[in-house]
Amino acid sequence: MIGMTAQRGRQSAARRSRLRRQLLKYSANNTVSPTTYCPLNAAAPILRLYFEEEHDLRPSLRLSRQTITSLISVVKSDFDHGWETDIEVLVFLYWLAHAASYRVVSMAFDIPKSTVHDIVHRICRAVIGILRRVVSFPTLDDLEAVGEGFAQLAGSPAFRMAAGAIDGCHIRIKPPSTAGHHRPQGEFLDIFVGNPGSVHDARVLKNSAVYTGHLYPPAGKCILRDGGYPCLSAPICLITPYREPLQNPIQARFNAKHARARNIVERAFRMLKTRWRSIFFKALKVSPAFVPDVVACCAVLHNLCLQNGDIADPGVLEDPADDPPEPQNTEASAGEDVRDNLAAAVSAPDNCVPALHEHDYL
């Protein structure tokens, strides 16, 4: 977990104070540091917000001050680009939070548009560079806590075998002119970005490294998903609800518990979309090749926020209808037996009636 100690907080405050003095000096003397491309306008509203400790940065940058400080510390590089890392991170977050054009960000910070472009792409690469430190599968020691979290969500101890939940999300983009997963907090365990929206969720899964490399979940564990996916036991264990019409109360009870446990992934997507609503609720006007990087950054920052206690209210968003089922892969093993056993465990009484032990019914 990436946290912020009291010492780091003091160092961050001192760095902001030093940077602010430098900017004010450059503005007053109209001088430029040899390593600076051009003088910054210290009076820019977004910079004033950053330098004043009492201001909440979430309305403008979608992240708390603590999360921003943590992000700066993990992407900071010894290589001097001419700007302080603080400024580059602010430029990137402002662009991401508002899905604004480079021209608009240029006006907000009073820096050249070409510089904004360079900063956005550079910090995006830096954030992706920490992806596997922030978005990762739980360790074997963590799995017990993960399973316990799903059991609490479902309201049934049978769901301790759950190790995650899976879902997909569409991102609207502006087409080019030539166009023809873990814990109860809602952290992402893995992401797979870049398939066109016409590709079925199940096909996206089967193309992912998680499926082809049998990376997750470990033996004896399962991943929860809605009916848009096949129910599998191999190559990965993927448990879906029973389809309508249900045959008996056992299936109905299992579906209810399954939905309560699986809802965590839908809540995670709602939190992601709520925080980065400018990215997810309108067409993203960037190069299609850059879209996967932007979305990956949103997922990294989502986990980083949760690790710093920066929780976004998921609000109420409309969930799209489940995709129609895709034909089963003949190379995959059906997981109905695993699901039936799990459903039986859900309906089994927690405590056996003592009278049942008083006679031998066999």
Side-chain angles (χ1 to χ4, degrees):
M1 179 176 179
I2 302 174
M4 183 185 72
T5 63
Q7 181 180 5
R8 181 182 297 174
R10 291 192 296 270
Q11 291 173 345
S12 175
R15 185 178 65 251
R16 284 195 297 272
S17 179
R18 183 182 70 255
L19 178 59
R20 185 184 187 190
R21 289 196 301 270
Q22 291 174 349
L23 294 179
L24 290 175
K25 180 183 70 175
Y26 295 155
S27 299
N29 299 333
N30 196 28
T31 60
V32 181
S33 168
T35 60
T36 303
Y37 298 134
C38 67
L40 280 173
N41 181 5
I46 187 64
L47 293 179
R48 290 207 313 269
L49 286 175
Y50 177 66
F51 292 130
E52 299 296 334
E53 296 285 342
E54 67 274 11
H55 288 299
D56 184 4
L57 299 177
R58 285 175 293 184
S60 297
L61 301 177
R62 312 306 299 165
L63 303 183
S64 69
R65 187 176 293 274
Q66 178 175 332
T67 303
I68 293 175
T69 300
S70 179
L71 177 62
I72 291 171
S73 68
V74 296
V75 302
K76 192 173 181 62
S77 171
D78 295 332
F79 185 76
D80 185 5
H81 296 289
W83 305 99
E84 290 279 352
T85 305
D86 302 53
I87 300 300
E88 295 196 340
V89 169
L90 292 181
V91 170
F92 171 73
L93 291 178
Y94 189 89
W95 173 82
L96 191 65
H98 300 277
S101 67
Y102 297 138
R103 180 182 60 82
V104 170
V105 180
S106 170
M107 295 173 62
F109 285 85
D110 197 16
I111 60 178
K113 185 172 69 172
S114 60
T115 301
V116 172
H117 173 276
D118 292 344
I119 289 175
V120 166
H121 283 256
R122 183 163 54 245
I123 297 300
C124 185
R125 289 193 299 269
V127 173
I128 292 176
I130 65 169
L131 190 149
R132 290 306 167 196
R133 295 167 54 185
V134 181
V135 181
S136 61
F137 296 126
T139 65
L140 292 178
D141 293 337
D142 292 333
L143 281 175
E144 182 176 352
V146 173
E148 184 60 36
F150 277 103
Q152 293 176 6
L153 290 172
S156 170
F159 279 86
R160 288 195 179 99
M161 71 176 295
I166 190 171
D167 207 344
C169 175
H170 286 173
I171 311 297
R172 294 174 56 198
I173 67 172
K174 182 181 179 181
S177 57
T178 58
H181 324 247
H182 84 39
R183 305 167 178 99
Q185 292 90 341
E187 288 188 26
F188 292 112
L189 306 183
D190 187 68
I191 58 173
F192 185 60
V193 186
N195 280 272
S198 58
V199 178
H200 191 282
D201 282 358
R203 181 61 58 187
V204 173
L205 171 66
K206 292 172 184 176
N207 290 335
S208 70
V210 170
Y211 187 92
T212 59
H214 310 173
L215 300 182
Y216 195 79
K221 298 291 184 178
C222 68
I223 296 177
L224 307 179
R225 179 48 173 123
D226 62 28
Y229 286 72
C231 187
L232 302 175
S233 61
I236 65 173
C237 189
L238 192 68
I239 301 301
T240 62
Y242 289 98
R243 294 189 181 280
E244 301 285 350
L246 301 180
Q247 303 300 313
N248 51 58
I250 292 178
Q251 292 185 358
R253 190 175 297 110
F254 171 81
N255 277 10
K257 301 290 187 181
H258 183 283
R260 291 175 59 182
R262 190 191 72 242
N263 182 260
I264 186 63
V265 69
E266 297 172 357
R267 183 174 183 272
F269 272 120
R270 287 197 295 268
M271 286 192 292
L272 182 73
K273 292 179 178 181
T274 297
R275 189 182 299 276
W276 306 113
R277 57 176 66 92
S278 295
I279 295 295
F280 291 92
F281 290 143
K282 66 180 183 181
L284 190 56
K285 298 180 180 180
V286 299
S287 166
F290 189 42
V291 171
D293 291 344
V294 174
V295 176
C297 284
C298 291
V300 171
L301 296 176
H302 168 87
N303 279 15
L304 194 64
C305 287
L306 294 182
Q307 293 169 7
N308 282 275
D310 184 4
I311 309 298
D313 182 3
V316 179
L317 302 176
E318 293 294 330
D319 292 326
D322 291 339
D323 292 322
E326 190 176 68
Q328 292 282 351
N329 183 352
T330 56
E331 298 179 356
S333 299
E336 282 81 1
D337 289 344
V338 177
R339 181 173 60 191
D340 289 344
N341 291 337
L342 183 56
V346 168
S347 293
D350 294 335
N351 298 303
C352 189
V353 179
L356 295 178
H357 295 289
E358 296 177 359
H359 303 281
D360 183 359
Y361 292 99
L362 298 178

